[in-house]
Amino acid sequence: MLFVCYNHCTTCAKARRWLNENGVDFTERDIKGDNPTATELKRWWKASGLPLKRFFNTSGMPYREMKLKTKLPEMSEDEQLKLLATNGMLVKRPIVVNANKILVGFTPETWKNAFSSTADKLK
């Protein structure tokens, strides 16, 4: 399982702690140093079933500075994916990726339900 996070993000720290406390094995990837590619983001987005906007860190400075709230609706999906791939700080985090699930953001109850309903049972 891949855990995509930002080391200075308190939500990512809570998610990492949750994974460790629940015995979930993962490989960690720093989103700032190793930003997901447009191809990866497209694959994750399609597999997640979520709207593409959920992959944007709407509370981050780059999102606000670029005025993406008004620009995103005018952009194609491919343009949005390419934009996300330019800056890890634009991407909502943490992201959990494996064959059974894609989770974007961290909510303990959502994660518990997701892990309970797949082959990745909690220990």
Side-chain angles (χ1 to χ4, degrees):
M1 178 176 326
L2 179 62
F3 175 64
V4 183
C5 63
Y6 177 54
N7 288 331
H8 301 289
C9 170
T10 56
T11 303
C12 293
K14 290 176 188 174
R16 182 184 304 104
R17 188 168 35 257
W18 187 95
L19 290 168
N20 286 326
E21 288 171 356
N22 286 280
V24 178
D25 294 327
F26 60 91
T27 300
E28 190 167 317
R29 177 173 163 185
D30 178 47
I31 200 163
K32 190 163 184 176
D34 189 6
N35 192 44
T37 66
T39 302
E40 287 176 311
L41 289 161
K42 185 173 187 173
R43 187 174 64 244
W44 299 346
W45 163 54
K46 294 288 187 182
S48 75
L50 296 169
L52 184 53
K53 185 174 184 209
R54 282 283 316 240
F55 281 80
F56 280 88
N57 178 13
T58 58
S59 62
M61 287 294 279
Y63 183 89
R64 292 192 303 264
E65 288 171 353
M66 296 173 76
K67 299 179 180 19
L68 292 178
K69 183 177 182 176
T70 57
K71 292 180 181 177
L72 283 182
E74 300 169 4
M75 297 173 69
S76 72
E77 292 169 346
D78 282 339
E79 290 171 327
Q80 291 179 44
L81 290 163
K82 286 177 186 172
L83 178 62
L84 281 170
T86 66
N87 183 345
M89 296 297 96
L90 284 173
V91 181
K92 177 80 171 174
R93 55 200 181 263
I95 301 174
V96 166
V97 179
N98 79 0
N100 299 314
K101 72 183 79 46
I102 309 290
L103 301 174
V104 180
F106 175 65
T107 307
E109 192 62 31
T110 302
W111 282 34
K112 181 179 178 184
N113 291 338
F115 282 94
S116 296
S117 64
T118 70
D120 303 307
K121 302 292 185 190
L122 297 174
K123 293 179 184 175

